[in-house]
Amino acid sequence: PDSMTFLRDYVSKNIPCIIRNAMSRENMETMGQAKGLNLDDLVDMFPPTQEITVDVTPDGHGDCIRTVKAYGDSKRQRLFVKPQERKMT
């Protein structure tokens, strides 16, 4: 969809969606190299006392649909999972 339709139908309603193949790995790597930034560079852009929110996951996958065993339940379910958010300075 065009950007306004996407904004209206998904973003404004807080509906999760999966965007596949938006960029190739080569394009992502090229963009990262062109900007020359890594995580340390981004963190250094903030003053030392600035609090930032960091998303933490056990395997790098958050805000996605995962097959998991729910606590206290023996069967596996497909659930939308979110990362843990930690405030850091």
Side-chain angles (χ1 to χ4, degrees):
D2 64 75
S3 58
M4 290 306 290
T5 302
F6 182 75
L7 178 66
R8 180 193 68 220
D9 294 348
Y10 294 96
V11 177
S12 66
K13 296 178 182 179
N14 289 324
I15 295 176
C17 67
I18 297 173
I19 300 172
R20 297 185 190 274
N21 302 317
M23 291 184 69
S24 69
R25 181 172 297 281
E26 294 80 23
N27 285 344
M28 289 189 289
E29 289 171 356
T30 302
M31 287 179 64
Q33 291 169 357
K35 293 182 180 179
L37 298 176
N38 61 32
L39 182 58
D40 290 332
D41 296 328
L42 294 173
V43 171
D44 288 343
M45 291 180 181
F46 294 94
T49 57
Q50 174 71 42
E51 185 175 78
I52 59 173
T53 302
V54 177
D55 289 350
V56 180
T57 67
D59 59 5
H61 295 112
D63 288 334
C64 65
I65 297 172
R66 302 290 303 263
T67 301
V68 298
K69 189 188 312 185
Y71 181 75
D73 194 351
S74 61
K75 62 183 178 184
R76 297 176 68 79
Q77 303 176 47
R78 286 178 51 88
L79 300 172
F80 183 80
V81 297
K82 297 186 63 140
Q84 178 188 36
E85 294 183 347
R86 293 185 186 168
K87 302 284 187 188
M88 303 177 81
T89 55

